[in-house]
Amino acid sequence: MPDIDWDAPWLASWRTVGEPIACQVAAGTPQPEALNASGRAPVRFVPQADLPEGQAYEDFIFATGQVPTREGLHDFFNALCWMHFPQAKKRLNQLQAREIARAGVGQVRGPVRDAATVFDENALLIQTSDAVWSALTEHRWMHAFLDLRGEWVLTCLWAFGHAALEKTVQPFKSITVHLWRVPQGVAQADLDAWLAQDLTPEKLARKPFSPLPLLGVPGWWPANEDPAFYADASVFRPQRSQRLAEKPYANSEILPPA
């Protein structure tokens, strides 16, 4: 297992549980065994080989309460998420299993399964002011990160997506997560229960996500102290409608008049 920087701000709430398990795995303990030893998850982690051929991963978890787990960071962070958000992870699994039972696996997941997968792999929970939220969702990056920089001290962020966390082990500027907003009244102690209730098929199908270049969060990356960090439009991209307005023929075969 590659070295994990447990001092990274996005891992602040995961370190107490995750670091000792990572040390066991680095010392040679099989990953499922090290994860189960913590006793913190509502499921058991089993080797990937325990997943029967032809059975869907989510369906197997729902039927057995066991999570097929490969060695490596991706499934390591997935397991840590089961420990930190057991109710929300169980809810996502229920939704996935329900959709599989209804429509089968198929080549196309459908809107609910697709959104549940995006959430599971890439979500970051955010609790912030209306001003910051509006600026982020409208991709007014300079306003969100520079003009409103002082409001980030009062903004709470919680990592969830395990694929995103895997990427952060070797950080790069364009890592982008999918924000899911948490109302101001939700206390951290109630976060998992609130999230499990908030993850409804109807809401997921609407895909109420908003992209966030992770290293743009004030205080999370030294380079973003320089305002020029946010001028990189390949990372801090304008909204699609704005891009099309600037390039009205970008998605058309019709050429502008000579």
Side-chain angles (χ1 to χ4, degrees), residues 6-232:
W6 291 103
D7 289 324
W10 46 83
L11 290 177
S13 62
W14 295 57
R15 182 172 194 165
T16 300
V17 173
E19 188 173 22
I21 299 173
C23 289
Q24 293 179 49
V25 174
T29 303
Q31 192 155 283
E33 181 181 331
L35 293 166
N36 289 327
S38 74
R40 291 179 173 268
V43 291
R44 284 191 57 79
F45 303 98
V46 298
Q48 182 70 21
D50 285 11
L51 176 63
E53 185 175 352
Q55 184 169 9
Y57 169 83
E58 295 287 353
D59 183 57
F60 179 78
I61 297 172
F62 182 75
T64 68
Q66 301 178 83
V67 178
T69 302
R70 300 161 295 185
E71 301 293 330
L73 289 171
H74 190 85
D75 286 5
F76 172 74
F77 283 122
N78 180 52
L80 292 190
C81 194
W82 272 103
M83 297 174 192
H84 284 83
F85 296 97
Q87 295 179 66
K89 286 287 285 185
K90 186 175 182 180
R91 175 63 171 159
L92 286 171
N93 177 245
Q94 290 170 342
L95 292 171
Q96 292 271 20
R98 182 185 302 171
E99 289 297 303
I100 290 171
R102 182 185 65 82
V105 177
Q107 293 184 344
V108 179
R109 289 191 177 100
V112 175
R113 283 193 67 207
D114 183 54
T117 299
V118 169
F119 188 98
D120 197 25
E121 297 276 350
N122 215 48
L124 183 78
L125 309 177
I126 184 170
Q127 188 178 62
T128 193
S129 67
D130 289 343
V132 170
W133 179 251
S134 294
L136 291 174
T137 56
E138 295 168 10
H139 297 196
R140 292 184 286 117
W141 305 116
M142 295 292 191
H143 185 57
F145 293 122
L146 297 177
D147 298 339
L148 299 175
R149 203 168 185 85
E151 296 200 25
W152 285 86
V153 177
L154 304 175
T155 293
C156 295
L157 296 163
W158 297 276
F160 190 101
H162 54 281
L165 284 173
E166 180 184 16
K167 293 175 185 176
T168 65
V169 173
Q170 296 181 318
F172 53 92
K173 187 175 182 179
S174 60
I175 295 175
T176 300
V177 294
H178 288 70
L179 292 175
W180 187 274
R181 194 179 187 187
V182 179
Q184 291 284 14
V186 178
Q188 182 167 341
D190 303 322
L191 182 62
D192 185 31
W194 172 84
L195 185 57
Q197 293 295 318
D198 197 50
L199 288 167
T200 65
E202 296 77 18
K203 186 170 183 177
L204 282 164
R206 295 196 302 270
K207 295 184 179 177
F209 304 115
S210 188
L212 172 75
L214 189 70
L215 299 189
V217 174
W220 277 25
W221 196 244
N224 74 35
E225 293 295 326
D226 182 352
F229 182 85
Y230 301 105
D232 185 350

